[in-house]
Amino acid sequence: MRMADSFQTHMEGYLRPIEDFLTAQFTGELPQKRLFEAMRYSLLAGGKRIRPVLTLEFCRVCGGDWRTALPFGCAVEMIHTYSLIHDDLPCMDDDDYRRGRPTNHKVYGEAMAVLAGDALLTAAFETAAAANASAEIRADVMTTLAGCAGEMGMVGGQVLDLEGEARELDAAYIHRLQELKTGALLKAACVVGVQAAGGSGQAIQAAERYAAALGLAFQTRDDLLDVEGEFEKLGKAVGADGKKNTFVRLYGAARCHALVREQTEAAVAALEPFQDRTFLTELARRLAERDH
């Protein structure tokens, strides 16, 4: 089997159970049904599901049964989805489209969008707490999720983003901003996969290095696509970040293309402690070349 075929088969083996798990959530016939609809509208709107895939694969390469990590990976996806809903709000980025569809607040109103995001964040921890894993593993996973999603992670990065909008930022500030805003949740996805398998401290450190490099390459590619991409492929406005302190604005497009390549190879190098690293290597390289 060719590597491309093998990679796609491996990916689809993860995507089907991820979608099945997420589709089964928030279906109750209760008075707050409209909240459930708003949560599902964004949670099931597509997307690459990179974060839960990373969780499942890191569990597998650390010798665990990836199926036991499924609730943890889907919890990360719920946190990611909540962050997108809030990021699109008028008080944040004020975006009208996400993944080719009207953003959550355009369909359900701002108040319901805020509540849908709040509910997804809460549901993520409920999902992780209910996973079929030892109490120690569940506690470790929830500690990682909280640290990477909160004020020391993704939310902290969003604050740096907001506070930096009115001024020109230096390279150190922008790198720190993106390390938190984008990289922290990728780190969570990788690390909780290791934790789900009861992996070693060395494996966690390697997962963190992979996530850090992958996150920088991922965000730099995103910034390039905002300049060079197409609405039909991105599913959102092109040029929306034109006034932001992006990597393209900081370094220029040519340097950013080189940075994507450099950080992708750094991510690949971080996988050295893992015996079976073919899928994670190919995933990093495909993300570096994506057009949406």
Side-chain angles (χ1 to χ4, degrees):
M1 183 181 292
R2 295 180 306 164
M3 180 178 290
D5 295 335
S6 177
F7 175 86
Q8 196 57 39
T9 299
H10 196 128
M11 176 68 86
E12 289 173 0
Y14 286 153
L15 291 177
R16 285 192 296 269
I18 288 168
E19 292 302 327
D20 288 346
F21 188 101
L22 294 174
T23 300
Q25 308 305 308
F26 320 122
T27 60
E29 291 291 332
L30 295 169
Q32 64 270 39
K33 182 179 179 180
R34 183 138 178 97
L35 172 64
F36 298 163
E37 291 175 359
M39 295 164 73
R40 289 171 61 84
Y41 177 82
S42 293
L43 187 63
L44 304 179
K48 293 177 280 293
R49 307 301 193 203
I50 295 305
R51 290 157 189 83
V53 166
L54 286 169
T55 299
L56 303 190
E57 179 65 3
F58 268 100
C59 179
R60 188 190 72 81
V61 300
C62 288
D65 181 351
W66 62 264
R67 295 167 188 81
T68 65
L70 184 60
F72 299 142
C74 289
V76 177
E77 190 70 3
M78 290 176 193
I79 295 173
H80 175 56
T81 303
Y82 120 76
S83 75
L84 299 181
I85 294 173
H86 283 192
D87 210 34
D88 290 335
L89 288 167
C91 62
M92 296 287 186
D93 288 351
D94 194 16
D95 284 322
D96 293 340
Y97 289 93
R98 170 74 66 177
R99 294 171 178 162
R101 304 198 305 172
T103 47
N104 198 289
H105 68 274
K106 287 293 182 180
V107 178
Y108 294 95
E110 291 180 35
M112 188 62 76
V114 170
L115 293 171
D118 292 346
L120 282 166
L121 174 60
T122 308
F125 286 93
E126 184 179 20
T127 300
N132 184 22
S134 71
E136 181 179 3
I137 287 176
R138 284 181 280 130
D140 287 345
V141 165
M142 287 189 284
T143 298
T144 296
L145 291 178
C148 291
E151 76 283 2
M152 301 301 291
M154 182 179 66
V155 173
Q158 181 67 23
V159 170
L160 294 183
D161 195 12
L162 289 172
E163 293 187 343
E165 285 182 352
R167 56 194 173 93
E168 199 74 21
L169 303 179
D170 61 23
Y173 190 104
I174 296 175
H175 276 262
R176 181 59 176 161
L177 185 166
Q178 299 300 354
E179 178 186 336
L180 296 177
K181 186 177 177 181
T182 301
L185 206 58
L186 286 169
K187 171 184 169 182
C190 298
V191 170
V192 301
V194 178
Q195 291 173 325
S200 66
Q202 181 189 23
I204 288 176
Q205 291 172 1
E208 290 176 338
R209 291 193 299 272
Y210 176 85
L214 186 73
L216 182 53
F218 190 94
Q219 184 59 53
T220 306
R221 184 63 182 158
D222 258 9
D223 290 352
L224 283 165
L225 289 172
D226 184 67
V227 175
E228 303 173 351
E230 303 172 13
F231 175 86
E232 291 74 16
K233 292 181 178 179
L234 294 176
K236 62 180 181 179
V238 176
D241 294 338
K243 296 182 179 179
K244 288 191 169 187
N245 287 278
T246 65
F247 286 122
V248 173
R249 185 173 173 183
L250 177 66
Y251 293 125
R255 173 64 187 131
C256 282
H257 281 289
L259 186 61
V260 170
R261 293 191 295 271
E262 291 166 10
Q263 291 302 315
T264 297
E265 292 311 307
V268 171
L271 297 171
E272 194 275 334
F274 303 104
Q275 184 174 1
D276 184 356
R277 48 187 182 269
T278 302
F279 179 82
L280 289 169
T281 296
E282 182 67 10
L283 178 61
R285 289 178 174 156
R286 289 186 179 223
L287 288 175
E289 298 171 357
R290 74 190 194 282
D291 59 8
H292 65 283

